[in-house]
Amino acid sequence: MTGLKWGEEREARQSAIRRIPRSLRFRLAFSYMVFFAIVLIGIGFLFRQTLAHTLESHSHDILDEEYASVKAYVRFEHDIPLWFADKDDPEEAAFVARLRRIILMADANGRVLEASDGYLALGLESADEIKRILAAGKTDWTVRRNSRGVAFLIRRSVLVDEKKVHFCAIARAISEDVAITNEFTLKYLALVPLLLILASVMGWFFAGPALQPLIAVAGTAQRISGSNLALRITPRGAGDELDHLIGTFNSMMDRLDGSFQQSQQFSADVSHELRTPLTVIRGQLEVALFTAQDVEGYRDAIVNALQGVERLSHIIKTLLLLSQAEAGHLILQRTHLDLGSLVEDMVEEFQIPAIEAQITLTATVESPCFVSADKLQIERLLTNLFSNAIKYTHPGGSVRAVVKALDGWGELTVEDSGIGIPEGHLPQIFDRFFRVPNADVLAERGIGLGLSFVAWVVKAHGGSIDVESELGKGSRFRVRLPASASEPEIADQARQPAQTPAPRYS
Ligand code: ADP
């Protein structure tokens, strides 16, 4: 045997419940972590750029200030730069000495007038380079490294003294700025994995409670079986996607419950319907076996038993036909059908039972009417409608069939002056095995499948059916079938799937 034992089954069920949220939970936490990593890297990059930019503009400001000081302290005499500082002021002397630490001054031809050791270590500009900068007339910024690899920011510009143009370049070490930026980057990068671990842990814990309703849905789904289809999950009232899922799940359960009950009801109805003729047959056979005295007695019992067999086979045949139809195994053979003449023929055939029941049965074809329909199925539809109309009409009453062509439709009306159908039962008359209580008072007991089949035929043809009825006065069934345009189109229409509105009642 291949089934699971109770313990194993429980374990398998629990692990299935755990597996769903676990993988989803992991994916949620992982997505949260990836998102957080992208945000962190973006923010880090932005901060690093802002820091580098701030430090760089700070160095620019300092060099601008130093240049202004050079301008204030230097005078050129015969192209020789002379520094004017108060020798008695040690602070000023120290300041000027600091200005001259990394400086280059040249004349308009690029001839070096003053170059500090610090500047020499950075390498001097060529005469052409100097001339180019002087010709541009704008402050020029560049970065150069000395022999020890220390980076310097160099400010190169024009220095005008007594209308004579000179070149002045001053520099400042920026390795400290680079070090600050690098240190920030390193510390930030070291922090990122820690923050990501924190984000993943948080994501994991936040995803847990968020997935709780899913676990509840899975748990409930596991507990549902044929005997407790009424089980539902209570919505949390948050109005979110999970509540929507719970709502969808519950309405799916409603539908399942409905069709399960319908099929249970159907089985009960079928067994009930089959039991009645079987009881009759058995009773009649017992009569024949135990109590019949003569040939006449045997004959009566056998005739009655045969009637039971007849009813039994009628029920089984109709049920088979209906289930074949509903399962889509009955393929329509559509033709260019003259509905008017078919109704007239059928009315002709039904004259004998109508006369027996003392009912006037007539047909009126108001206008020529061709429909695209399967003749055999339409004959079955007419048989059901006519036999019902005759069955449920008192002697002396009338049944009238009217056919007319409408725009795109062929319309058939079967109207009787019979017992009518109570309003409350109108929506049920197309259900399988439904019979209006007390309808048998007038007619022989039916099986309640005729109108279900009629509804299927109409639906399969893409038509519609509606009923109007007044208790004690009569009923009117109105069927509409798609009109047939011309013969060649029929084959195409036959291939189209059936679509129809549900029957209407009034
Ligand atoms: P049945 O074999 O019982 O006639 P149907 O499916 O044909 O089954 O009809 C369902 C029920 O609808 C009938 O039992 C009857 O109560 C009611 N009904 C159908 N046609 C008529 C009619 N023309 N007049 C009154 N009642 C009708």
Side-chain angles (χ1 to χ4, degrees):
M1 229 174 88
T2 51
L4 288 172
K5 288 206 193 84
W6 183 79
E8 289 168 331
E9 204 179 292
R10 194 163 151 261
E11 185 54 45
R13 212 183 305 146
Q14 282 182 350
S15 79
I17 295 173
R18 267 184 260 121
R19 221 178 301 128
I20 302 166
R22 192 182 287 166
S23 63
L24 258 183
R25 193 177 182 179
F26 173 77
R27 271 186 273 165
L28 276 178
F30 185 72
S31 318
Y32 183 65
M33 192 201 74
V34 169
F35 171 75
F36 205 64
I38 293 169
V39 170
L40 276 182
I41 289 169
I43 289 177
F45 182 73
L46 207 76
F47 272 148
R48 189 192 182 282
Q49 291 302 98
T50 312
L51 182 66
H53 184 257
T54 310
L55 291 171
E56 193 184 319
S57 62
H58 179 65
S59 295
H60 278 222
D61 290 348
I62 290 175
L63 284 176
D64 281 344
E65 275 172 29
E66 287 186 357
Y67 170 74
S69 306
V70 169
K71 252 174 107 174
Y73 285 107
V74 166
R75 294 282 175 275
F76 288 91
E77 270 180 27
H78 307 296
D79 277 347
I80 297 167
L82 300 175
W83 292 85
F84 293 94
D86 186 355
K87 289 198 179 61
D88 300 331
D89 184 345
E91 231 175 77
E92 197 173 285
F95 179 65
V96 169
R98 214 172 60 229
L99 284 180
R100 298 180 68 183
R101 233 179 25 214
I102 311 171
I103 194 163
L104 167 70
M105 281 196 265
D107 66 11
N109 295 319
R111 187 166 59 90
V112 175
L113 304 176
E114 177 177 333
S116 67
D117 289 345
Y119 205 94
L120 285 170
L122 292 175
L124 297 180
E125 274 78 3
S126 67
D128 287 345
E129 178 79 353
I130 290 171
K131 279 189 218 163
R132 186 188 61 77
I133 293 168
L134 290 179
K138 277 195 290 181
T139 306
D140 179 90
W141 297 91
T142 185
V143 174
R144 276 212 298 267
R145 290 175 187 277
N146 65 11
S147 50
R148 282 183 286 128
V150 181
F152 283 79
L153 177 67
I154 305 173
R155 184 191 192 283
R156 306 180 295 186
S157 62
V158 182
L159 191 69
V160 183
D161 180 49
E162 290 168 356
K163 293 177 192 154
K164 264 198 109 175
V165 170
H166 293 96
F167 172 80
C168 172
I170 48 175
R172 179 175 195 276
I174 53 165
S175 37
E176 205 176 312
D177 297 356
V178 176
I180 290 172
T181 316
N182 287 346
E183 193 184 338
F184 167 81
T185 312
L186 277 178
K187 282 188 176 159
Y188 190 80
L189 284 180
L191 203 66
V192 166
L194 289 177
L195 289 173
L196 285 185
I197 291 170
L198 198 72
S200 313
V201 173
M202 274 166 62
W204 180 263
F205 279 107
F206 287 147
L211 291 171
Q212 203 54 43
L214 276 185
I215 300 171
V217 174
T220 311
Q222 293 283 343
R223 274 184 282 131
I224 289 168
S225 67
S227 53
N228 61 357
L229 276 173
L231 224 58
R232 297 289 179 275
I233 305 166
T234 322
R236 301 164 311 141
D240 56 7
E241 288 86 347
L242 283 172
D243 264 355
H244 180 64
L245 173 73
I246 292 172
T248 314
F249 178 83
N250 284 345
S251 53
M252 181 194 79
M253 286 311 300
D254 287 345
R255 288 196 299 276
L256 271 181
D257 199 8
S259 49
F260 196 72
Q261 277 179 17
Q262 235 179 15
S263 74
Q264 269 183 335
Q265 182 63 41
F266 179 67
S267 316
D269 288 344
V270 172
S271 1
H272 178 78
E273 289 305 321
L274 296 182
R275 211 173 44 228
T276 317
L278 273 176
T279 314
V280 173
I281 296 165
R282 185 196 169 107
Q284 292 305 322
L285 291 179
E286 280 173 357
V287 167
L289 200 61
F290 302 120
T291 54
Q293 307 284 335
D294 48 19
V295 175
E296 203 55 36
Y298 282 119
R299 174 181 284 276
D300 281 352
I302 290 170
V303 166
N304 288 339
L306 261 178
Q307 278 172 355
V309 170
E310 199 61 39
R311 184 174 169 85
L312 205 59
S313 88
H314 177 54
I315 293 174
I316 290 167
K317 258 200 309 211
T318 319
L319 262 179
L320 255 175
L321 191 68
L322 204 57
S323 52
Q324 265 181 340
E326 286 177 356
H329 296 153
L330 253 184
I331 309 292
L332 294 184
Q333 307 292 327
R334 288 185 192 241
T335 53
H336 185 63
L337 186 68
D338 182 348
L339 188 62
S341 72
L342 180 67
V343 169
E344 281 172 338
D345 291 351
M346 292 296 288
V347 162
E348 213 38 60
E349 276 183 36
F350 270 84
Q351 284 307 328
I352 297 168
I355 290 166
E356 274 174 8
Q358 298 165 39
I359 285 162
T360 323
L361 173 63
T362 56
T364 313
V365 179
E366 289 188 357
S367 50
C369 176
F370 287 88
V371 289
S372 155
D374 182 326
K375 188 170 181 235
L376 179 67
Q377 306 309 338
I378 300 299
E379 276 173 359
R380 283 174 172 158
L381 174 147
L382 291 169
T383 305
N384 278 299
L385 290 180
F386 289 157
S387 58
N388 274 352
I390 295 169
K391 208 159 58 172
Y392 300 113
T393 301
H394 291 284
S398 66
V399 175
R400 195 169 153 246
V402 180
V403 175
K404 62 180 168 196
L406 296 175
D407 191 20
W409 300 97
E411 188 185 87
L412 159 75
T413 316
V414 179
E415 194 177 348
D416 63 55
S417 60
I419 57 172
I421 303 161
E423 205 185 329
H425 290 305
L426 278 176
Q428 293 156 286
I429 58 168
F430 293 96
D431 293 348
R432 281 188 283 195
F433 292 117
F434 179 79
R435 283 189 303 252
V436 175
N438 298 332
D440 308 343
V441 173
L442 180 65
E444 155 209 343
R445 188 179 158 83
I447 56 171
L449 291 174
L451 286 182
S452 308
F453 188 72
V454 167
W456 175 82
V457 173
V458 173
K459 183 178 172 182
H461 281 85
S464 65
I465 180 164
D466 56 66
V467 193
E468 285 170 35
S469 189
E470 207 176 322
L471 207 56
K473 293 215 164 150
S475 313
R476 186 196 294 132
F477 288 79
R478 194 173 54 192
V479 174
R480 280 189 181 167
L481 297 168
S484 168
S486 60
E487 297 224 30
E489 286 177 32
I490 292 160
D492 292 343
Q493 287 171 9
R495 277 182 228 116
Q496 287 167 14
Q499 277 198 344
T500 186
R504 287 189 289 118
Y505 326 97
S506 56

